[in-house]
Amino acid sequence: MAPVTRWFGKYALWIYSTIAFVFLLIPIAYTIAFSFNDSRRSNIAWRGFTLDNWLGICDAQGVCEAFGNSIVVGLSATVLATVLGTMIAIALVRFRFPFRNATSLLLFLPMATPEVVLGAGLAAEFLTAGVQKGALTVILAHTMFCISFVVVTVRARVASLDPALEEAGRDLYASPSQVFVRVTLPLLMPGIIAAALLSFALSFDDFIITNFNSGAYVTFPKFVYTAAARGIPAEANVIASAVFFIAIIFVVVSQLSAAARRKRLALQG
Amino acid sequence: MAFGAFGSTATSAVPVEPAVRRRSPVALFLLLPGILYLALFFLAPLFSLILTSLQQPSLTGDIGAYETAFRWENYTTVITQYGEHIVRSFSYAAIATIAALLFSYPLAYFIGVKLRPFPLMQALALTLVIAPFFISFLLRTLAWKQILSDDGFFVTSLKAVSLMAPDAHITGEPIAVIFGLTYNFIPFMTLPIYTSLEKLDLRYVEAGNDLYASPARTFFAITLPLSAPGVISGMLLTFIPAAGDYVNASRDFLGSTETPMIGNVIEANFLVLQNYPAAAALSIVLMATILVLVAIYVKRSGTEELI
């Protein structure tokens, strides 16, 4: 083999992956860059750098309201789905009960159903029942599709929980509720937090199901979709970029602290 | 494990002695609220879709007014009227799934195997893969629309070097929609494959090499089969949402009047034309087709447990 081909064979995967990462980041970089565009009417062509969009996030009509609505929906759906999903996850791992397979199937199906079907189905149900679409229907819809993801995430944590720790609690005469609150729940917390974050992210970025069930209620993705026909205000890019930075900082900090913890444990062990 | 492989990325399961599953009324208390919720907001809606799909226009003739009936013709009507859209949706989704698999496998291999000695870089690489999740799906798709637009840098350069005909476009063409679907679902493909490859025992690969298997043979006989669970869940997680997506194919995003998928038709019929029975019938057709395809696929690939 010629030295060049050998060199390429050794580093091909590194080169490919670098290009792949750049490719994945292109539209993100574009969206962030255009949050600094001096866009005036349409944020399509680059017209020069400005901080105005960042300093006056709420200047564009409806952006901040839509963002606020998304936060409200995201938090409500996250709390509901996390509580319901965690309860199911514990039951699935810890208890024997009839219709176990049917329950698993019921939890799997929402993840295997295209969003457009979930959205249209709920909308048909609300229509038949005469329920007015609005914030409530959006929260109900988001909670529904988040539950399964919470179950999958928390279940893994429950399964890896050492039952000896709970036994120790019982041996020390703790009541079942004390064991749950003092031992089980704290040990499950990392899984529950991960599930809650996943739910919030899914809810915050959901468009398809929301579009079918929101009526006149506007969430952030719905705002973007409606605005796409006439041009997105740069303030929408600002909000999306800000959310992106917060999420990335959060992930990096949690990964670094996890790495530090692993290192500490490794040193002790 | 098809979807489990995706969900369990966050927590690493330490093998412990599992607790003995017991019968207790507590189970009912834990299960009931969530199960009732799903019955009310997942099963009941599917049932309402079926009922709606069989309705007939109300005798009053008002737009959007329907009454209960058993009009099975609704199904034959939508299938003949929108057959083209149905075929288009599944072909776009299939091509996007294959494209995402070809893109993601080497990347997942790189993160899961090559970066194994460098945990911090591995974590950073995973963050880069999920980074698109943190910025609005719609804004990312619009960004591609602008990057690939006729007066964008990419198209003008291709035309300058005559790689593209002067009057050709990218946005609005099927290729743009498939591209958008591929891009948007890459993380769903990469993460489960990564999860499988991360656990790959490299001694098997070494054994292959020691037995004089070519790198290609080692890959197809050892690495690929061992990462099959990840590949299967990745393909499902890409194909299902891609088949039902209507953002990429929408006229305001990467599509045009030439590219509507089944999702666009359902949206238009439900939210604009108020033709609820047609929208419902199409939703049932979409759901049924996907369930049949998934069942065949899962059966053939021998995945036992789904969740």
Side-chain angles (χ1 to χ4, degrees):
Chain A
M1 249 196 304
V4 177
T5 14
R6 202 179 311 142
W7 181 87
F8 189 77
K10 196 169 170 196
Y11 293 106
L13 207 52
W14 287 82
I15 297 166
Y16 172 79
S17 301
T18 312
I19 297 170
F21 285 128
V22 171
F23 170 74
L24 285 177
L25 297 180
I26 287 173
I28 300 177
Y30 184 95
T31 306
I32 296 171
F34 274 72
S35 73
F36 295 105
N37 187 19
D38 189 6
S39 60
R40 303 204 183 84
R41 282 259 153 259
S42 83
N43 195 12
I44 292 176
W46 182 257
R47 287 181 213 217
F49 180 88
T50 180
L51 283 175
D52 289 357
N53 309 320
W54 281 81
L55 297 173
I57 298 181
C58 294
D59 287 357
Q61 210 185 352
V63 176
C64 279
E65 196 197 336
F67 177 68
N69 288 346
S70 274
I71 299 282
V72 170
V73 167
L75 290 177
S76 320
T78 299
V79 170
L80 275 169
T82 308
V83 172
L84 294 173
T86 302
M87 288 165 69
I88 296 179
I90 294 173
L92 279 177
V93 180
R94 287 298 172 80
F95 296 101
R96 275 198 299 161
F97 52 87
F99 304 115
R100 192 184 182 81
N101 289 340
T103 310
S104 287
L105 187 66
L106 181 63
L107 290 165
F108 164 73
L109 276 178
M111 296 194 289
T113 308
E115 285 193 65
V116 66
V117 177
L118 295 175
L122 272 167
E125 181 180 56
F126 291 138
L127 189 75
T128 317
V131 179
Q132 186 77 35
K133 289 178 190 173
L136 180 70
T137 50
V138 177
I139 294 169
L140 289 173
H142 285 200
T143 305
M144 180 268 293
F145 68 74
C146 288
I147 288 177
S148 303
F149 289 95
V150 173
V151 174
V152 173
T153 313
V154 176
R155 203 184 126 108
R157 186 81 200 175
V158 184
S160 69
L161 194 83
D162 191 346
L165 295 169
E166 288 168 306
E167 256 166 54
R170 281 193 290 276
D171 289 349
L172 295 165
Y173 297 107
S175 69
S177 62
Q178 275 175 322
V179 172
F180 181 76
V181 175
R182 298 278 189 81
V183 182
T184 317
L185 207 54
L187 287 170
L188 292 183
M189 240 348 142
I192 295 174
I193 291 171
L197 290 174
L198 179 65
S199 294
F200 187 82
L202 287 171
S203 161
F204 188 82
D205 205 25
D206 179 77
F207 166 68
I208 292 179
I209 296 176
T210 312
N211 193 30
F212 277 93
N213 293 291
S214 54
Y217 191 73
V218 180
T219 60
F220 184 66
K222 199 178 161 192
F223 174 87
V224 174
Y225 187 77
T226 323
R230 48 190 163 78
I232 311 276
E235 285 81 357
N237 291 48
V238 173
I239 287 180
S241 309
V243 170
F244 176 77
F245 288 128
I246 293 169
I248 285 289
I249 289 169
F250 192 87
V251 169
V252 169
V253 167
S254 65
Q255 276 176 350
L256 286 177
S257 66
R261 202 166 52 234
R262 271 198 302 274
K263 210 167 206 170
R264 222 169 40 237
L265 287 173
L267 285 177
Q268 282 169 3
Chain B
M1 277 298 283
F3 281 72
F6 181 66
S8 61
T9 48
T11 40
S12 59
V14 186
V16 289
E17 196 71 22
V20 182
R21 288 201 185 119
R22 50 204 173 85
R23 278 182 193 281
S24 156
V26 180
L28 196 66
F29 160 79
L30 289 171
L31 284 167
L32 212 53
I35 298 300
L36 280 180
Y37 194 97
L38 288 178
L40 204 54
F41 298 111
F42 173 70
L43 289 181
L46 290 182
F47 186 66
S48 333
L49 265 186
I50 296 173
L51 284 184
T52 309
S53 73
L54 299 170
Q55 283 175 342
Q56 62 186 24
S58 156
L59 290 172
T60 58
D62 293 336
I63 292 172
Y66 296 90
E67 54 193 35
T68 312
F70 288 96
R71 240 174 80 142
W72 296 97
E73 308 98 89
N74 285 347
Y75 282 89
T76 43
T77 313
V78 294
I79 289 172
T80 45
Q81 195 177 351
Y82 299 113
E84 177 199 350
H85 302 81
I86 297 170
V87 172
R88 185 182 291 136
S89 291
F90 287 109
S91 359
Y92 284 7
I95 302 171
T97 305
I98 303 289
L101 176 65
L102 294 177
F103 178 92
S104 298
Y105 200 97
L107 189 63
Y109 186 87
F110 174 76
I111 304 172
V113 178
K114 290 271 168 169
L115 286 186
R116 226 183 262 179
F118 320 104
L120 214 57
M121 268 179 80
Q122 200 178 34
L124 175 74
L126 278 178
T127 311
L128 289 179
V129 171
I130 55 169
F133 285 151
F134 301 144
I135 200 152
S136 166
F137 161 60
L138 297 167
L139 282 174
R140 270 185 283 133
T141 313
L142 276 176
W144 278 122
K145 180 190 181 168
Q146 270 142 39
I147 293 165
L148 301 173
S149 71
D150 289 347
D151 32 86
F153 170 76
F154 186 71
V155 169
T156 44
S157 342
L158 281 184
K159 285 182 179 171
V161 295
S162 300
L163 277 172
M164 232 176 110
D167 56 344
H169 313 278
I170 295 180
T171 48
E173 298 291 325
I175 180 102
V177 179
I178 294 169
F179 173 85
L181 291 171
T182 309
Y183 174 81
N184 280 314
F185 297 110
I186 281 172
F188 292 97
M189 184 67 90
T190 309
L191 287 178
I193 301 179
Y194 156 80
T195 314
S196 290
L197 285 173
E198 208 259 324
K199 289 181 293 215
L200 176 75
D201 191 337
L202 292 176
R203 284 174 297 185
Y204 292 124
V205 180
E206 279 164 27
N209 294 337
D210 290 349
L211 295 165
Y212 299 105
S214 68
R217 178 120 196 253
T218 315
F219 177 77
F220 285 110
I222 296 167
T223 313
L224 193 59
L226 287 175
S227 59
V231 173
I232 292 163
S233 48
M235 289 183 83
L236 291 177
L237 285 165
T238 306
F239 183 78
I240 297 169
D245 181 81
Y246 65 81
V247 172
N248 288 284
S250 148
R251 221 159 15 116
D252 295 328
F253 289 77
L254 292 166
S256 66
T257 47
E258 307 291 305
T259 61
M261 293 169 64
I262 193 165
N264 300 81
V265 181
I266 296 173
E267 187 210 17
N269 273 302
F270 206 108
L271 298 174
V272 184
L273 306 170
Q274 299 192 343
N275 188 352
Y276 307 119
L282 273 170
S283 306
I284 298 289
V285 170
L286 175 65
M287 170 100 185
T289 316
I290 284 181
L291 283 182
V292 170
L293 289 176
V294 169
I296 294 172
Y297 182 67
V298 168
K299 192 144 212 156
R300 284 200 54 169
S301 51
T303 322
E304 64 301 343
E305 225 183 297
L306 283 168
I307 181 172

